[in-house]
């Protein structure tokens, strides 16, 4: 199945749009197609890791379990960062494919909370792409 959006070329930051309030309302959620690095605290907030497990288990064992369950693609031991797995379309697993809205918005990772103003390949800019059709809020 082909994604309903044009995946942005994150290597071409010159094509990104300066972020402004309200821009997300008409966007096709291009940022939700980029690799997403998260910390252990994000995985706990998302309910993918139990707080007890986070406190008592070694990160490498948590990463191994999450990789086996196909919840993450990669674990960076040096920086203790997990890269969340994505759908075959490239979308984040937490993105609703019809509405193009985050299904875990209140629990979203810190990277998402800080994007694009502070945590972005080009802070203050985003990979904006207008939706082909206007979907209602989910």
């Amino acid at each position: 199945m082909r994604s309903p959006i044009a995946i942005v070329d994150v290597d071409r930051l010159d094509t990104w749009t300066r972020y402004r309030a309200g821009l997300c309302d008409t966007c096709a959620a291009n940022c939700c197609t980029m690799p997403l690095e998260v910390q252990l605290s994000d995985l706990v907030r998302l309910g993918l890791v139990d707080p007890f497990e986070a406190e008592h288990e070694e990160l490498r064992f948590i990463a191994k379990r999450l990789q086996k369950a196909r919840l993450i693609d990669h674990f960076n031991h040096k920086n203790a960062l997990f890269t969340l797995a994505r759908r075959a379309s490239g979308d984040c697993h937490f993105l609703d494919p019809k509405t193009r809205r985050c299904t875990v918005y209140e629990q979203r990772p810190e990277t998402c909370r800080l994007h694009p103003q502070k945590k972005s390949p080009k802070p203050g800019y985003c990979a904006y792409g207008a939706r082909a059709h206007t979907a209602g809020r989910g």
Side-chain angles (χ1 to χ4, degrees):
M1 178 171 114
R2 184 161 157 72
S3 177
I5 64 168
I7 304 298
V8 297
D9 182 355
V10 295
D11 294 326
R12 293 208 40 228
L13 300 180
D14 60 310
T15 64
W16 286 30
T17 302
R18 179 174 284 287
Y19 175 77
R20 64 184 180 277
L23 199 59
C24 299
D25 293 337
T26 59
C27 187
N30 291 338
C31 58
C32 300
T33 66
M34 295 188 283
L36 177 59
E37 291 183 333
V38 299
Q39 298 176 343
L40 182 60
S41 58
D42 295 313
L43 296 173
V44 170
R45 187 171 48 254
L46 288 166
L48 301 178
V49 174
D50 182 85
F52 183 84
E53 179 186 22
E55 188 174 335
H56 298 286
E57 191 67 66
E58 289 184 43
L59 286 179
R60 63 188 176 105
F61 293 125
I62 293 172
K64 188 173 183 175
R65 177 183 69 78
L66 295 173
Q67 280 181 311
K68 188 174 182 179
R70 297 184 178 168
L71 296 171
I72 66 167
D73 283 334
H74 180 73
F75 175 61
N76 179 322
H77 295 276
K78 183 179 178 185
N79 298 317
L81 291 173
F82 302 81
T83 303
L84 290 182
R86 293 179 284 167
R87 292 188 185 109
S89 66
D91 286 350
C92 172
H93 277 285
F94 300 113
L95 184 67
D96 183 295
K98 289 188 170 89
T99 65
R100 307 299 296 166
R101 296 289 182 180
C102 181
T103 61
V104 294
Y105 189 79
E106 293 302 318
Q107 295 82 27
R108 72 193 184 282
E110 196 67 21
T111 301
C112 301
R113 293 169 189 264
L114 297 175
H115 183 80
Q117 297 89 334
K118 295 181 181 172
K119 196 129 185 171
S120 170
K122 187 175 181 180
Y125 288 78
C126 64
Y128 176 80
R131 275 189 283 233
H133 55 73
T134 305
R137 278 198 172 275

